[in-house]
């Protein structure tokens, strides 16, 4: 088990909750994050019951569930349930001698799809009247369909207010991903993260431990492990959409993702890319956000502006690099030539935006308060109008937070460049933006200027930053190991 200490502690706490009543917990998270591994471990450690649902009919699901429950109870004859009322009632009686017992239903959305009344049946089984016959079962419902799992405990849903545990298993962040992949070179680590993100299964199940040995091996690794039609990662981005029950018109959703991967972050730009009206995209964008495929982030400086970004790096990589050359990539041996042609696209459409996102994550979660001059509360990108020049400026990293007197302020603004050696020109641009924001009352002379570079900085910029704490230079080693 790697870096799941918090999740494991919460699961074991829930599993051992004292008391005679049955209790409910919900575990969710995107696919391939290790949820089933955790749940299998907690049931094995506690002697609990684990049932993994499949996409089937209600009658077949009841038959499978009855067989699994009978095996767990050591009964030679399977249970023959005709309805989930009977099955849930029997499940609530599996704890022996009043000892808390874990019962896991994995892939719960499959069962609820075939039996929409199942959440209501579980609710009734947890009602005070039913608790008189229940044993201390610690029931855990797990699923990867984020839209469904998110609604399970919200609004007027039957199970709202019933759960004693709501655990979301996240992806690994860029630092943890490098540690998990055992990549010590920060440049190789970030390039790898730009392709596969922080999904644990992509290292073990999907690449069988094949990792880039270093900067010189990265290109070969991409062609042998990602662009190779015989490897599981090759079609994974397509399967991610196909596995989401909410995504019915996959062609439309792939087109929306392709538009975002091409650099269109606003709804208007996405609509223009697809040749559709902006209003036509409200529903697909909302659904993609609900299932965790994209994020919708407010502009740091303009309330009426926001940006859509793809949440899964592999999906961005697929749409920017693989999808345009899919016919060639399906033919064995073509991957090296495709990858050579895709280098500029990879840098501009994949690594560049990903480096900006990693820079924001570092500023929010890893940088020390002294780096920003205050305690960070939010980090976003933003757009600043420049009326005199009749243009606007993009700010890759805008850090808001609290200063020593407790007031909210714009602590820092930053620019992130993956391929450029940053120099005085980049610093002057940030100074100009700070002046514009100060004139609007959004910044002050204390707002710090941060330069993020994947390539390095000029000697002149290093010299300035050495004697000025308000200028911070963040390179790859600092992103991965520093504050």
């Amino acid at each position: 088990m790697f870096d799941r200490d918090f999740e494991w502690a919460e699961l074991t706490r829930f599993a051992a909750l004292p008391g005679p009543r049955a209790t409910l917990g919900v575990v969710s998270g995107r696919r391939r994050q290790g949820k089933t591994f955790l749940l299998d471990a907690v049931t094995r450690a506690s002697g609990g019951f684990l049932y993994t649902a499949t996409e089937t009919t209600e009658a077949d699901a009841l038959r499978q569930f009855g067989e699994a429950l009978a095996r767990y109870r050591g009964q030679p004859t399977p249970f023959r349930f005709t309805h989930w009322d009977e099955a849930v009632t029997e499940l609530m009686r599996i704890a022996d001698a009043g000892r808390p017992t874990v019962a896991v239903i994995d892939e719960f959305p499959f069962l609820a799809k075939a039996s929409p009344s199942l959440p209501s049946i579980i609710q009734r089984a947890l009602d005070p009247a039913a608790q008189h016959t229940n044993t201390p079962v610690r029931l855990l419902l797990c699923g990867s369909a984020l839209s469904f799992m998110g609604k399970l405990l919200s609004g007027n849903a039957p199970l709202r207010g019933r759960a004693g545990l709501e655990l979301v298993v996240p992806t690994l962040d860029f630092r943890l991903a490098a540690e998990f992949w055992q990549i010590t070179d920060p440049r190789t680590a970030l390039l790898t993260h730009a392709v596969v993100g922080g999904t644990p299964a992509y290292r073990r199940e999907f690449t069988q431990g094949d990792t880039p040995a270093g900067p010189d091996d990265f290109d070969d690794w991409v062609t042998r492990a990602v662009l190779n039609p015989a490897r599981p990662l090759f079609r994974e981005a397509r399967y991610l959409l196909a596995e989401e029950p909410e995504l019915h018109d996959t062609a439309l959703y792939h087109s929306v993702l392709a538009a975002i991967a091409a650099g269109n972050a606003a709804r208007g730009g996405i609509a223009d890319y697809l040749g559709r009206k902006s209003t036509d995209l409200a529903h697909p964008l909302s659904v993609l956000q609900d299932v965790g495929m994209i994020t919708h982030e407010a502009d740091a400086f303009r309330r009426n502006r926001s940006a859509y970004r793809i949440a899964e790096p592999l999906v961005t990589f697929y749409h920017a690099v693989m999808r345009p050359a899919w016919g060639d990539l399906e033919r064995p041996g073509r991957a090296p030539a495709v990858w050579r042609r895709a280098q500029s696209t990879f840098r501009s459409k994949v690594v560049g935006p990903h480096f900006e996102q990693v820079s924001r994550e570092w500023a929010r979660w890893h940088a020390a308060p002294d780096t920003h001059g205050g305690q960070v509360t939010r980090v976003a990108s933003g757009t600043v109008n420049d009326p005199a020049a009749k243009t606007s400026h993009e700010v890759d990293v805008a850090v808001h937070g609290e200063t020593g007197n407790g007031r909210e302020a714009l602590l820092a603004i930053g620019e992130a460049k993956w391929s450029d050696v940053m120099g005085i020109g980049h610093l002057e641009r940030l100074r100009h933006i700070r002046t514009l924001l100060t004139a609007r009352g959004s910044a002050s002379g204390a707002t710090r200027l941060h330069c993020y570079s994947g390539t390095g900085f000029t000697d002149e910029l290093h010299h300035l930053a050495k004697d000025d704490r308000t200028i911070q230079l963040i390179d790859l080693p600092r992103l991965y190991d520093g504050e």
Side-chain angles (χ1 to χ4, degrees):
M1 190 177 299
F2 177 85
D3 190 64
R4 295 301 188 197
D5 295 342
F6 172 77
E7 291 81 3
W8 180 250
E10 287 299 310
L11 285 172
T12 53
R13 176 198 64 83
F14 178 80
L17 281 175
R21 291 173 171 249
T23 55
L24 173 69
V26 174
V27 180
S28 61
R30 284 158 55 187
R31 296 185 185 279
R32 327 282 196 251
Q33 303 309 317
K35 299 184 300 298
T36 300
F37 180 87
L38 281 167
L39 294 172
D40 178 66
V42 79
T43 53
R44 287 176 180 272
S46 64
F49 168 67
L50 171 64
Y51 170 71
T52 301
T54 58
E55 195 166 11
T56 186
T57 63
E58 180 178 62
D60 189 43
L62 283 166
R63 180 188 60 78
Q64 293 180 26
F65 185 81
E67 292 174 350
L69 192 59
R71 284 196 300 271
Y72 174 75
R73 300 292 295 271
Q75 297 186 6
T77 305
F79 290 106
R80 300 297 182 189
F81 300 124
T82 58
H83 195 273
W84 278 108
D85 265 320
E86 300 173 356
V88 172
T89 298
E90 188 64 34
L91 180 65
M92 293 299 182
R93 296 172 179 168
I94 65 170
D96 295 326
R99 181 178 60 87
T101 300
V102 174
V104 175
I105 300 180
D106 197 8
E107 299 295 355
F108 181 72
F110 287 152
L111 294 186
K113 180 181 178 181
S115 309
S117 63
L118 185 53
S120 296
I121 292 170
I122 294 174
Q123 175 211 357
R124 189 164 60 202
L126 295 170
D127 283 343
Q131 291 283 15
H132 294 299
T133 58
N134 288 343
T135 57
V137 171
R138 305 296 172 245
L139 176 60
L140 288 165
L141 306 179
C142 179
S144 302
L146 295 186
S147 178
F148 175 88
M149 298 302 292
K151 295 173 183 175
L152 197 61
L153 302 175
S154 65
N156 297 319
L159 294 175
R160 174 167 171 74
R162 302 283 177 173
L165 175 71
E166 297 181 45
L167 183 64
V168 178
V169 180
T171 58
L172 303 176
D173 74 5
F174 69 98
R175 284 187 170 185
L176 290 171
E179 186 180 346
F180 183 72
W181 281 74
Q182 297 179 315
I183 300 174
T184 56
D185 173 65
R187 186 174 184 85
T188 306
L190 194 134
L191 288 170
T192 305
H193 194 259
V195 177
V196 294
T199 299
Y202 292 162
R203 184 196 170 196
R204 290 178 176 162
E205 289 87 346
F206 283 68
T207 64
Q208 294 82 48
D210 183 1
T211 64
D216 296 337
D217 186 46
F218 176 75
D219 290 337
D220 289 339
W221 174 79
V222 170
T223 58
R224 72 176 180 259
V226 185
L227 302 183
N228 183 344
R231 300 292 180 90
L233 275 178
F234 182 74
R235 295 175 179 83
E236 172 67 1
R238 290 188 166 196
Y239 292 158
L240 285 174
L241 260 67
E243 291 172 344
E244 289 292 344
E246 299 290 327
L247 305 184
H248 303 296
D249 185 358
T250 56
L252 171 61
Y253 294 110
H254 272 297
S255 297
V256 172
L257 291 170
I260 299 173
N264 301 285
R267 185 189 294 186
I270 298 169
D272 290 343
Y273 185 91
L274 299 179
R276 290 174 174 253
K277 295 179 180 178
S278 180
T279 53
D280 295 341
L281 296 180
H283 178 68
L285 286 170
S286 177
V287 172
L288 284 170
Q289 191 175 350
D290 287 344
V291 301
M293 283 288 173
I294 63 174
T295 59
H296 189 204
E297 303 169 9
D299 189 283
F301 308 112
R302 298 170 64 179
R303 294 182 180 179
N304 62 342
R305 185 182 174 95
S306 58
Y308 290 97
R309 294 189 175 90
I310 298 175
E312 174 54 64
L314 185 63
V315 174
T316 301
F317 182 82
Y318 165 75
H319 283 287
V321 174
M322 299 177 69
R323 193 174 183 228
W326 191 256
D328 283 350
L329 288 172
E330 286 187 306
R331 296 290 298 271
R334 300 293 179 92
V338 170
W339 183 235
R340 283 194 296 272
R341 295 197 304 268
Q343 288 298 301
S344 62
T345 300
F346 177 64
R347 287 192 298 270
S348 62
K349 302 299 183 184
V350 180
V351 186
H354 189 75
F355 181 63
E356 294 172 8
Q357 180 61 35
V358 166
S359 298
R360 287 188 287 271
E361 289 182 18
W362 180 85
R364 180 68 178 94
W365 304 114
H366 299 290
D370 187 52
T371 296
H372 300 305
Q375 188 64 48
V376 178
T377 56
R378 58 189 174 98
V379 176
S381 61
T383 305
V384 180
N385 287 329
D386 189 345
K390 296 182 180 180
T391 187
S392 61
H393 303 281
E394 299 293 329
V395 176
D396 299 325
V397 185
V399 182
H400 287 85
E402 293 182 355
T403 57
N405 58 16
R407 297 178 60 184
E408 185 176 71
L410 179 63
L411 300 179
I413 56 174
E415 183 168 4
K417 294 294 184 184
W418 171 252
S419 300
D420 295 352
V421 175
M422 300 186 74
I424 297 299
H426 296 92
L427 182 64
E428 290 302 323
R429 178 179 178 274
L430 288 174
R431 283 175 171 161
H432 177 62
I433 294 171
R434 182 173 63 183
T435 300
L436 293 171
L437 290 169
T438 301
R440 289 170 35 182
S442 301
S444 69
T447 299
R448 299 189 175 191
L449 308 178
H450 292 183
C451 295
Y452 299 81
S453 177
T455 306
F457 310 95
T458 64
D459 292 340
E460 189 176 8
L461 187 55
H462 270 296
H463 178 73
L464 281 175
K466 182 179 179 181
D467 299 321
D468 189 346
R469 186 64 180 166
T470 66
I471 302 171
Q472 294 285 321
L473 308 184
I474 300 98
D475 56 10
L476 288 172
R478 187 172 178 185
L479 276 177
Y480 275 91
D481 297 307
E483 298 180 323

